[in-house]
Amino acid sequence: MDTKTIIEAIGYLGSALVLVSFLMASVVKLRVVNTIGSVIFTTYAFIIHSYPTAVMNVCLVLINIYYLVKMSNTKVDYSIVRVNTKDALVSYLLRFYSADIRDCFPETLLDFSESNLGYVVCHNGKPVSLFFGKEKDGVVDIDLDYSIPEYRDFSIGKYLLDKLPGEGIKSLVYRGSDKNHKAYLLKMGYIKKDGYYEKYL
């Protein structure tokens, strides 16, 4: 592979990452991927001496960094609402987000009629997370721990871990598939055991 091809590949990679970033629902992920793409494209622009392009991408990097820092320093105010899994609002949310829930949890049947514990987490009055489980003696066997795409930045998980002890919850157990959930579970401090994950509160 000659030098010219490598330089062009760098340019295409930077462009691809910038474009892909705009397909992401999470604003944080969008800005992170966009920043990486802009840094790569800035390098490409300097190599080919396209300084206007380089300056524009440097500005994009600085803007993204500014907003990422701002978002990391901004506390999101959530509220938690105790619900019955048979409530009309819960049924509506499960139907509305059913495709995404199945993507996140492929083995889920979307039947939570046996869950005796349910919470909806809201942000500015908007439902953004569903948490259902079977509770016994302060131990919750989690049936669903779902956040809508725009709010998958671990902040809701941290909020729930802070709030649930006040609800009498001592520990959480997750027995479902970790195919798309492993990073979240480990980030939240769950310990992997024999076929399940557990988190003491």
Side-chain angles (χ1 to χ4, degrees):
M1 186 181 291
D2 59 25
T3 303
K4 183 181 177 182
T5 304
I6 293 172
I7 292 171
E8 286 183 353
I10 292 171
Y12 283 122
L13 176 61
S15 299
L17 287 174
V18 170
L19 289 173
V20 167
S21 70
F22 291 110
L23 299 175
M24 298 183 170
S26 167
V27 176
V28 174
K29 289 180 182 178
L30 183 155
R31 291 202 177 276
V32 169
V33 174
N34 192 279
T35 299
I36 295 169
S38 295
V39 167
I40 294 172
F41 205 71
T42 299
T43 304
Y44 169 75
F46 276 119
I47 291 173
I48 65 170
H49 306 292
S50 177
Y51 299 114
T53 303
V55 169
M56 181 192 74
N57 279 278
V58 167
C59 290
L60 285 174
V61 171
L62 293 174
I63 290 168
N64 282 329
I65 291 173
Y66 169 78
Y67 280 106
L68 284 169
V69 170
K70 187 176 179 181
M71 283 186 283
S72 68
N73 292 332
T74 302
K75 184 179 179 182
V76 180
D77 290 324
Y78 293 117
S79 54
I80 188 169
V81 182
R82 182 76 181 258
V83 295
N84 187 307
T85 56
K86 298 176 184 178
D87 288 346
L89 174 62
V90 170
S91 298
Y92 168 78
L93 292 172
L94 288 172
R95 285 196 306 273
F96 189 86
Y97 292 109
S98 60
D100 189 49
I101 292 173
R102 286 194 177 96
D103 283 343
C104 294
F105 307 97
E107 297 176 4
T108 253
L109 299 176
L110 293 182
D111 178 10
F112 303 102
S113 56
E114 294 185 8
S115 303
N116 62 1
L117 181 79
Y119 294 103
V120 171
V121 177
C122 300
H123 177 234
N124 292 334
K126 176 183 177 179
V128 296
S129 177
L130 299 169
F131 183 92
F132 306 141
K134 301 177 186 70
E135 187 271 335
K136 183 178 180 181
D137 298 327
V139 178
V140 176
D141 216 321
I142 298 171
D143 293 324
L144 181 68
D145 185 2
Y146 168 79
S147 297
I148 67 174
E150 300 93 320
Y151 289 81
R152 286 180 197 153
D153 57 359
F154 302 108
S155 61
I156 292 178
K158 293 174 184 175
Y159 173 79
L160 280 170
L161 293 181
D162 286 340
K163 286 291 182 182
L164 291 178
E167 300 287 314
I169 308 302
K170 300 173 184 175
S171 68
L172 303 172
V173 176
Y174 178 74
R175 301 181 191 277
S177 169
D178 65 357
K179 181 180 179 182
N180 303 320
H181 212 43
K182 187 174 182 177
Y184 169 79
L185 292 166
L186 296 177
K187 178 78 173 179
M188 293 298 104
Y190 283 78
I191 298 171
K192 188 171 185 179
K193 299 193 175 181
D194 188 16
Y196 66 96
Y197 291 82
E198 188 165 16
K199 168 71 178 179
Y200 293 99
L201 304 181

